[in-house]
Amino acid sequence: MVRTIEIRQTGGPEVMQIVDRPVGEPGPGEVRIRHHAIGVNFVDVYFRTGLYPSKLPSGLGAEGAGVVEAVGSGVTHLTVGDRVVYAGGLQGSYSEARVMPALTVCRLPGAITFETGAAMMLKGLTAQYLLKRCPPAEGLHAGDFVLLHAAAGGVGLIMCQWARLLGLQLIGTAGSDAKCELARANGAAHTINYSTEDFAARVKEITGGRGVKVVYDSVGKDTWESSLNCLRPFGLMVSFGSASGPVPPFTPAMLAAKGSIYVTRQTLFTHIATREATQAMADDLCSVVASGDVKIHIAQRHPLADVQQAHRDLEARKTTGCTILTLA
Ligand SMILES: NC(=O)c1ccc[n+]([C@@H]2O[C@H](COP(=O)([O-])OP(=O)(O)OC[C@H]3O[C@@H](n4cnc5c(N)ncnc54)[C@H](OP(=O)(O)O)[C@@H]3O)[C@@H](O)[C@H]2O)c1
């Protein structure tokens, strides 16, 4: 039996309850992992509230690090005792141990701790694909301006550092002056406190009236309209989250009116649909983390049993960087 977080209905943080469940043996293509640390992500909130559907009762969580305890038939890239890390698979990382598909499970290099691994995988692979696997029509080059919302968050601080490494001029927005300072300390070339400033006007100023090549928008409803006004002609709007609520419907004619812009809605889960792609992206991430070029800021740690508080803080915009759940 292992302690695991379960939801029997969707709703507020209180629907997450700790229960004892048998963990079982891995079937074909699966592994059993004993967790050492677990990542908390905003996407977990979407599953908890029901914005993203799941079959109930359900586990929760899509990121973790630990040790392989058992390997099912057909799994060739992992063996018992491997230190591993993963993002994706089925919901259920909020647990002491679990069985899951091996497809997105990768070996964790010795230079990276379990805690860092658990914090970096889902958010870091997201930064990897945003910067490297969804380029704008004219390509993304050193010196280009890009705009990123929630720049002091989990994905945000990784994006700030990685964008700087690529020579991009990242303009980061955040909800307080302290968060803006943190984003700048992590590589944002410019920051805007979007609680007090008109960010579209400030982006125009910073870019000399031209606008940015790409907007990375995970805030959704509250930032959508102004974000579109930040793009230069043929620019790319990458919508990848809805922290403030879903994006309202729009018509193709709007894309013409804003300067023949492109819009895409991306999800990590398409990018990590194959073992080869997952491994290549993970290798890229592990290399920038192991070298120290991208540091993973774990600003919040909670024991597994305190997961409700971890969600409350995340939703109340009280967090910066990454949040992990620890296992005593
Ligand atoms: N599509 C994908 O592949 C993918 C993968 C991973 C993450 N994501 C998305 O990327 C975003 C960041 O994820 P994360 O786990 O790193 O979370 P996070 O950025 O650490 O936390 C969310 C941040 O969003 C900002 N925010 C703005 N309006 C908000 C509102 N009404 N309620 C709550 N937060 C609000 C807050 O920062 P400020 O206070 O600075 O505004 C908050 O700290 C999330 O939207 C997530 O769903 C998407």
Side-chain angles (χ1 to χ4, degrees):
M1 298 292 267
V2 296
R3 287 185 310 149
T4 186
I5 300 295
E6 190 174 88
I7 57 167
R8 305 194 72 79
Q9 64 194 77
T10 55
E14 69 285 353
V15 300
M16 295 183 290
Q17 293 295 330
I18 196 154
V19 293
D20 286 321
R21 287 278 176 269
V23 64
E25 293 301 319
E30 293 181 332
V31 285
R32 189 171 74 228
I33 297 170
R34 175 73 44 180
H35 288 135
H36 284 229
I38 298 155
V40 175
N41 290 279
F42 213 90
V43 67
D44 307 341
V45 173
Y46 306 147
F47 279 105
R48 195 206 72 218
T49 59
L51 179 67
Y52 289 179
S54 56
K55 193 166 161 286
L56 298 173
S58 172
L60 211 62
E63 185 178 43
V67 172
V68 174
E69 273 190 347
V71 177
S73 62
V75 177
T76 53
H77 69 287
L78 298 171
T79 52
V80 171
D82 280 349
R83 300 171 79 248
V84 291
V85 69
Y86 66 86
L90 304 169
Q91 289 291 299
S93 68
Y94 292 1
S95 58
E96 289 173 328
R98 69 177 301 191
V99 169
M100 67 175 290
L103 188 133
T104 65
V105 181
C106 298
R107 285 216 184 99
L108 180 64
I112 304 176
T113 65
F114 286 118
E115 290 202 348
T116 295
M120 76 176 190
M121 196 63 169
L122 197 146
K123 300 161 199 80
L125 293 184
T126 299
Q128 203 278 347
Y129 88 71
L130 288 173
L131 291 168
K132 305 227 177 146
R133 292 169 62 100
C134 47
E138 296 166 327
L140 201 51
H141 309 290
D144 284 342
F145 281 107
V146 299
L147 173 66
L148 170 75
H149 293 307
V155 174
L157 289 183
I158 298 174
M159 282 285 284
C160 288
Q161 296 172 74
W162 214 332
R164 176 176 56 187
L165 200 59
L166 297 173
L168 300 172
Q169 300 203 64
L170 182 141
I171 304 171
T173 63
S176 71
D177 290 344
K179 285 186 177 184
C180 284
E181 203 176 309
L182 185 62
R184 275 197 308 280
N186 280 275
H190 305 269
T191 53
I192 305 168
N193 179 344
Y194 56 7
S195 310
T196 56
E197 297 178 89
D198 174 347
F199 72 83
R202 287 275 291 115
V203 164
K204 281 286 153 72
E205 256 173 52
I206 292 166
T207 60
R210 288 197 322 249
V212 298
K213 231 180 194 181
V214 188
V215 176
Y216 301 104
D217 189 332
S218 65
V219 173
K221 183 169 71 65
D222 289 355
T223 47
W224 173 254
E225 190 66 36
S226 295
S227 289
L228 296 172
N229 295 332
C230 294
L231 285 167
R232 70 185 217 181
F234 305 111
L236 173 65
M237 165 63 125
V238 183
S239 166
F240 71 106
S242 337
S244 67
V247 167
F250 62 90
T251 62
M254 177 276 288
L255 306 178
K258 300 278 183 198
S260 304
I261 61 167
Y262 296 80
V263 172
T264 180
R265 175 59 164 95
Q266 293 282 315
T267 170
L268 172 65
F269 303 112
T270 321
H271 290 273
I272 58 172
T274 67
R275 168 102 278 287
E276 294 70 25
T278 308
Q279 193 60 57
M281 291 168 68
D283 288 348
D284 196 13
L285 172 64
C286 287
S287 111
V288 292
V289 172
S291 69
D293 286 331
V294 171
K295 296 193 169 50
I296 304 299
H297 295 271
I298 303 173
Q300 298 78 219
R301 287 178 170 78
H302 298 268
L304 178 65
D306 279 354
V307 67
Q308 293 186 2
Q309 193 58 45
H311 273 223
R312 274 189 210 103
D313 291 349
L314 188 59
E315 288 177 274
R317 303 167 76 164
K318 286 185 181 164
T319 63
T320 57
C322 301
T323 300
I324 61 164
L325 301 175
T326 55
L327 297 151

